[in-house]
Amino acid sequence: MESCFDFAQCRKNGFKVYVYPQQKGEKIAESYQNVLAAIEGSRFYTSDPGQACLFVLSLDTLDRDQLSPQYVHNLRSKVQSLHLWNNGRNHLIFNLYSGTWPDYTEDVGFDIGQAMLAKASISTENFRPNFDVSIPLFSKDHPRTGGEKGFLRFNTIPPLRKYMLVFKGKRYLTGIGSDTRNALYHVHNGEDVVLLTTCKHGKDWQKHKDSRCDRDNAEYEK
């Protein structure tokens, strides 16, 4: 990260993300349009590249299967011609597919230079920890936002809240659901993820009491 990313702009202006303006005649699949729209609708977006800490291409890099109708040709020369490219420094490249069946490769068809890669199904050999981002493979009809249309009140991603995940409930010591409830303590950190469970469930819960029950019950009551 220290050798491939310039933190100066981030320290100066905060975390701001610039999306390149769409070039005339360039096709962008709806999936990638949704990615760009989500960024442009967030509080991190800036239309001024001079303020930006991170840069995202408007060229569609999601589908790099040469047999796909969404495949963008001559991407190498198009990327190299961008005056802000700077060998990919402080850039984030999104990719879902690369290569063609049955020989899927992880070559996206152009030199990403010092850019970070947000990619689905990336191998452990090519993934660079604390630099690249592993993303899920989502379908073309995946919704950009959850819930019914018109129910999105605030588009602050990530949300400006103290807690990311909260749960408080009974911890089933046996039976259906017990494996899930009993594993919640692995995720609980007591800071932004708070998962509280109590063993006090049913008349004979003490018969099934485990080594964590006293501590969990105390946290739950607190």
Side-chain angles (χ1 to χ4, degrees):
M1 194 71 175
E2 287 73 16
S3 60
C4 293
F5 195 93
D6 181 9
F7 289 93
Q9 286 294 93
C10 310
R11 296 190 186 100
K12 181 180 177 182
N13 302 310
F15 187 72
K16 299 291 185 182
V17 185
Y18 174 78
V19 176
Y20 283 80
Q22 187 172 345
Q23 299 179 15
K24 287 185 178 180
E26 288 294 340
K27 59 182 180 181
I28 301 181
E30 186 176 355
S31 297
Y32 197 56
Q33 287 178 351
N34 286 341
V35 171
L36 300 183
I39 296 172
E40 291 171 349
S42 78
R43 67 177 186 270
F44 301 110
Y45 172 72
T46 178
S47 58
D48 180 4
Q51 296 285 315
C53 163
L54 190 68
F55 298 82
V56 175
L57 302 179
S58 63
L59 296 163
D60 192 344
T61 56
L62 275 190
D63 193 340
R64 300 305 295 153
D65 180 348
Q66 294 186 36
L67 300 182
S68 171
Q70 274 79 44
Y71 183 81
V72 177
H73 293 273
N74 304 318
L75 195 55
R76 180 181 287 105
S77 59
K78 291 174 181 177
V79 170
Q80 293 296 335
S81 66
L82 299 171
H83 72 281
L84 296 171
W85 175 242
N86 192 25
N87 194 35
R89 201 168 179 85
N90 288 43
H91 282 66
L92 179 63
I93 307 295
F94 289 90
N95 176 247
L96 293 181
Y97 318 95
S98 54
T100 300
W101 185 89
D103 300 316
Y104 286 109
T105 67
E106 297 192 37
D107 179 13
V108 294
F110 68 100
D111 183 9
I112 65 171
Q114 295 180 331
M116 296 171 290
L117 195 60
K119 182 171 171 55
S121 304
I122 189 169
S123 68
T124 55
E125 290 81 8
N126 291 329
F127 181 77
R128 297 164 294 182
N130 301 315
F131 192 70
D132 290 328
V133 185
S134 179
I135 61 174
L137 180 66
F138 55 86
S139 63
K140 290 180 173 61
D141 57 355
H142 190 78
R144 193 172 85 221
T145 54
E148 297 295 325
K149 288 185 176 179
F151 277 79
L152 184 66
R153 299 277 194 270
F154 305 100
N155 193 16
T156 52
I157 303 170
L160 291 167
R161 296 177 182 174
K162 180 179 179 180
Y163 300 106
M164 183 178 78
L165 176 64
V166 175
F167 172 79
K168 186 177 183 182
K170 291 167 180 161
R171 177 154 74 82
Y172 306 119
L173 297 168
T174 60
I176 296 174
S178 60
D179 288 346
T180 303
R181 296 284 178 98
N182 289 337
L184 292 180
Y185 78 97
H186 287 292
V187 188
H188 170 82
N189 64 17
E191 296 175 3
D192 60 338
V193 177
V194 180
L195 303 175
L196 304 171
T197 58
T198 178
C199 295
K200 295 179 180 179
H201 174 57
K203 295 179 180 179
D204 58 348
W205 68 271
Q206 288 183 320
K207 293 180 182 178
H208 307 287
K209 185 177 176 181
D210 60 27
S211 60
R212 285 200 338 274
C213 276
D214 289 339
R215 185 178 62 209
D216 287 356
N217 290 346
E219 282 284 301
Y220 181 91
E221 296 297 335
K222 187 173 68 176

